[in-house]
Amino acid sequence: MKANDSVRREVLYKILIEFGIPRKLVRLINMSLTETYRRVRVGKNVSDRFPVRNGLKQGDDLSPMLFNFALEYAIRRVQANQDCLKLNGTHQLLAYADDANILGGSIHTLKENAEALVAATREIGLDVSADKTNYMVMSLDQNAGRIHSVMIDNSTFERVEEFKYLGTTLTNQNSIAE
């Protein structure tokens, strides 16, 4: 299942209004998503059509923008919970498409921020994938984040010393390498 398939439409409409999208435009978006149907093809067999009540239309030009509004809502919920940790003096949360990287100066802060992200994404119908999620505590203190794994919402996230984000390597010592 793709992330677009699980966005809760009713929550999305509220998010759009919260972001200041005019109600008339939100109603038009609602109309374009209402009474949508799909069919499944297996080999040469095609199923009867069935209604789709959640998610965005695949291939629709508006879908990426609507998904970005939903993800932006979740990101802002995490940023409101940040403890002012910054990577090289700038970003507190790194996000691109459906990838989000939460920064924290301590395990406690990292867990708080991850819990906020999990709660926000669940609200809009998305799930944080434990298989694709690691954590890294960014601190000049060598003893920070020595716990090997963290449990958040019944999922275990493994600790890493560095990770690549948009082609750049970020390290737990708050440095960037090209």
Side-chain angles (χ1 to χ4, degrees), residues 24-54:
K24 184 175 183 176
L25 186 53
V26 173
R27 280 193 304 273
L28 288 170
I29 292 168
N30 182 343
M31 287 171 47
S32 78
L33 293 175
T34 301
E35 294 200 30
T36 54
Y37 297 89
R38 295 212 177 128
R39 295 175 189 257
V40 176
R41 178 183 304 206
V42 178
K44 294 183 179 183
N45 299 320
V46 178
S47 73
D48 293 336
R49 70 182 194 149
F50 56 92
V52 177
R53 292 179 181 84
N54 278 327

Side-chain angles (χ1 to χ4, degrees), residues 1 3 22 30 68 111 128 150:
M1 177 186 292
N30 182 343
N68 284 343
K111 281 185 77 167
V128 175
V150 170

Side-chain angles (χ1 to χ4, degrees), residues 13-158:
Y13 305 144
K14 291 176 185 173
I15 290 169
L16 293 172
I17 290 167
E18 185 177 313
F19 279 130
I21 304 300
R23 289 184 185 273
K24 184 175 183 176
L25 186 53
V26 173
R27 280 193 304 273
L28 288 170
I29 292 168
N30 182 343
M31 287 171 47
S32 78
L33 293 175
T34 301
E35 294 200 30
T36 54
Y37 297 89
R38 295 212 177 128
R39 295 175 189 257
V40 176
R41 178 183 304 206
V42 178
K44 294 183 179 183
N45 299 320
V46 178
S47 73
D48 293 336
R49 70 182 194 149
F50 56 92
V52 177
R53 292 179 181 84
N54 278 327
L56 304 172
K57 291 180 179 178
Q58 186 175 5
D60 187 334
D61 290 341
L62 199 53
S63 292
M65 188 179 341
L66 295 174
F67 181 79
N68 284 343
F69 273 111
L71 195 57
E72 180 68 19
Y73 170 81
I75 289 167
R76 288 184 183 190
R77 295 271 305 267
V78 174
Q79 286 179 330
N81 203 37
Q82 290 284 339
D83 70 344
C84 296
L85 174 81
K86 296 189 181 207
L87 173 68
N88 282 357
T90 55
H91 305 289
Q92 299 175 18
L93 179 110
L94 305 173
Y96 180 77
D98 61 351
D99 276 342
N101 298 284
I102 302 168
L103 309 179
S106 70
I107 288 288
H108 174 75
T109 300
L110 192 103
K111 281 185 77 167
E112 259 184 15
N113 294 337
E115 287 166 354
L117 180 65
V118 167
T121 55
R122 179 173 291 131
E123 181 183 344
I124 58 179
L126 302 175
D127 287 320
V128 175
S129 170
D131 294 339
K132 296 173 44 179
T133 305
N134 296 316
Y135 79 91
M136 180 173 71
V137 175
M138 299 182 74
S139 174
L140 295 175
D141 176 3
Q142 292 291 329
N143 295 319
R146 288 291 172 214
I147 301 171
H148 183 64
S149 61
V150 170
M151 183 78 124
I152 298 169
D153 194 45
N154 296 323
S155 296
T156 302
F157 302 132
E158 299 299 319

Side-chain angles (χ1 to χ4, degrees), residues 155-170:
S155 296
T156 302
F157 302 132
E158 299 299 319
R159 183 174 138 263
V160 296
E161 301 290 327
E162 64 182 34
F163 68 91
K164 208 165 202 134
Y165 180 73
L166 299 178
T168 302
T169 301
L170 308 172

